[in-house]
């Protein structure tokens, strides 16, 4: 069985701020920008991974969520409690400096982890935690 990741979703409360971060700071390319029924979905991806996409979506985008659930999701996003994603990079320290200099919300400076990677962490403009790891060279 061949299974590959195609898309993952990140909730954002301001697409323009999120685009400025993911495109202008991290270097991801915009692949699609769609509005529907007052909501917006922006699809981005790394030029190095044309078949993997990140979709920036409103936290209350699910049509099956109750109004109370939508409110809860918005509150969790505001608190920074929704999960983000982990990226890889060949140079964790250089990426850290680039994001930090852009004003990124630093959670962890580059650190050598006991499980064999060097990583750092930030919050995106919506408060999602993003980790950037550098695998050891072999």
């Amino acid at each position: 069985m061949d299974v590959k990741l195609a898309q993952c979703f990140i909730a954002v409360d301001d697409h323009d701020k999120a685009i400025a971060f993911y495109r202008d700071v991290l270097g991801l390319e915009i692949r699609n920008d769609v509005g529907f029924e007052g909501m917006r979905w922006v699809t981005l991806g790394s030029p190095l991974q044309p078949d993997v996409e990140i979709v920036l979506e409103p936290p209350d985008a699910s049509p099956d969520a109750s109004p109370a659930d939508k409110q809860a999701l918005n509150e969790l996003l505001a608190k920074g409690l929704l999960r983000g994603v982990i990226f890889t990079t060949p140079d964790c320290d250089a990426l850290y400096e680039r994001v930090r200099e852009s004003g990124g919300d630093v959670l962890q400076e580059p650190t050598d982890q006991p499980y064999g990677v060097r990583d750092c962490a930030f919050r995106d403009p919506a408060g999602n935690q993003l980790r950037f790891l550098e695998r050891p060279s072999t």
Side-chain angles (χ1 to χ4, degrees), residues 66-101:
S66 70
D69 290 341
K70 290 180 180 189
Q71 177 65 29
L73 286 168
N74 278 295
E75 290 172 4
L76 290 171
L77 178 63
K79 292 179 182 180
L81 295 176
L82 297 181
R83 303 296 293 172
V85 296
I86 300 174
F87 294 89
T88 62
T89 179
D91 189 340
C92 180
D93 294 88
L95 182 129
Y96 171 82
E97 286 303 321
R98 178 183 173 124
V99 177
R100 185 187 62 76
E101 288 172 4

Side-chain angles (χ1 to χ4, degrees), residues 37-59:
E37 294 187 1
M39 290 188 271
R40 184 177 179 193
W41 289 262
V42 177
T43 304
L44 304 110
S46 167
L48 302 173
Q49 291 180 296
D51 57 345
V52 178
E53 299 176 325
I54 296 171
V55 181
L56 305 177
E57 69 172 353

Side-chain angles (χ1 to χ4, degrees), residues 116-138:
V117 301
R118 182 167 180 77
D119 70 356
C120 62
F122 291 88
R123 289 206 187 279
D124 74 2
N128 297 296
Q129 179 178 308
L130 305 177
R131 299 194 73 79
F132 301 89
L133 67 87
E134 177 183 343
R135 292 190 167 98
S137 54
T138 55

Side-chain angles (χ1 to χ4, degrees), residues 7 12 21 23 33 36 50 58 66 70 75 87 106 115-116 130:
Q7 293 179 325
V12 299
F21 179 79
R23 181 192 62 202
D33 190 338
F36 181 70
S66 70
K70 290 180 180 189
E75 290 172 4
F87 294 89
V106 176
Y115 42 88
L130 305 177

